């Protein structure tokens, strides 16, 4: 991943075709040891390909990956739509969770 990040950083900086030496120089400048076989594999995979097209293709693939963030947002919207009854019930649950009576000791005992 660090090799790809360095490659993209160099492309963003104006170097349209970073070489192994360019990437190694960048990584070594921040103290990262370079494994030449991994670097050469990356450059071999990227050879002859447009990086912008690869990013666009990756974005379409990433759009189909489910994420866990939507469930939390839905739960919050449902609680807000539930009205005062849901808010009161939620406060009771929080009070139960915060209580340490069931454990038999307090944090500062």
């Amino acid at each position: 991943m660090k090799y790809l990040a360095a490659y993209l950083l160099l492309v963003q900086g104006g170097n349209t075709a970073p070489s192994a030496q360019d990437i190694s120089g960048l990584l070594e400048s921040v103290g990262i040891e370079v494994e030449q076989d991994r670097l050469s594999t990356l450059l071999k995979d990227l050879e002859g390909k447009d990086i912008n097209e690869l990013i666009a293709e990756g974005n379409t693939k990433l759009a189909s990956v489910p994420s866990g963030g939507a469930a939390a947002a839905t739960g919050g919207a449902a609680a807000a739509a539930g009205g005062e009854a849901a808010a009161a019930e939620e406060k009771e649950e929080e009070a139960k969770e915060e209580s340490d009576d069931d454990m038999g000791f307090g944090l500062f005992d």
Side-chain angles (χ1 to χ4, degrees), residues 13-99:
N15 186 345
T16 57
S19 66
Q21 187 177 8
D22 295 333
I23 296 170
S24 295
L26 176 64
L27 291 173
E28 289 170 353
S29 73
V30 292
I32 297 174
E33 187 176 323
V34 176
E35 296 177 36
Q36 291 299 324
D37 57 327
R38 287 187 169 203
L39 179 55
S40 59
T41 302
L42 173 73
L43 291 175
K44 186 176 168 184
D45 289 343
L46 293 175
E47 187 176 341
K49 298 179 182 176
D50 180 31
I51 194 69
N52 293 319
E53 290 176 10
L54 291 173
I55 291 172
E57 183 182 332
N59 281 338
T60 59
K61 289 180 181 180
L62 189 60
S64 66
V65 175
S67 64
T74 305
E84 292 179 22
E89 188 176 311
E90 187 177 315
K91 286 182 182 180
E92 285 181 29
E93 288 179 23
E94 286 180 15
K96 288 179 185 177
E97 290 176 8
E98 291 177 6
S99 173

